[in-house]
Amino acid sequence: MTTEQTEALIGMTVVVAILVLLALPSALGVIRDRRIDRQIREAQEAREERGSRTAREDQKSSSRSTVPSTATWYAEGRRSKKLVSS
């Protein structure tokens, strides 16, 4: 091997090493995201299985009181002010 070939080999090795260093964080991020997506999917499937078993119980318990939201409270206040000023 001549000196030029050795320098070319070293140069290619350095370029490949830099490419690996740049691509490695992205590859690790993709792997991590897929693992998290799989965990989320498994949790949703487990929740759906539990939900289908307790859905009948939830439908029976409709006697709990409901509290109006802040938007409803604000809108009712505005309506009453308009009626008073008319």
Side-chain angles (χ1 to χ4, degrees), residues 35-62:
R35 179 176 49 90
I36 291 171
D37 288 343
R38 180 179 44 83
Q39 290 173 346
I40 290 172
R41 193 177 323 112
E42 288 173 356
Q44 285 176 343
E45 289 172 358
R47 183 178 294 155
E48 287 174 1
E49 288 177 9
R50 278 188 307 210
S52 64
R53 282 185 268 153
T54 61
R56 293 180 209 123
E57 296 170 6
D58 290 341
Q59 289 175 355
K60 291 178 184 177
S61 63
S62 63

Side-chain angles (χ1 to χ4, degrees), residues 18-34:
I18 291 173
L19 179 65
V20 167
L21 287 175
L22 290 174
L24 187 63
S26 296
L28 293 177
V30 167
I31 292 170
R32 180 174 180 260
D33 286 345
R34 287 188 183 211

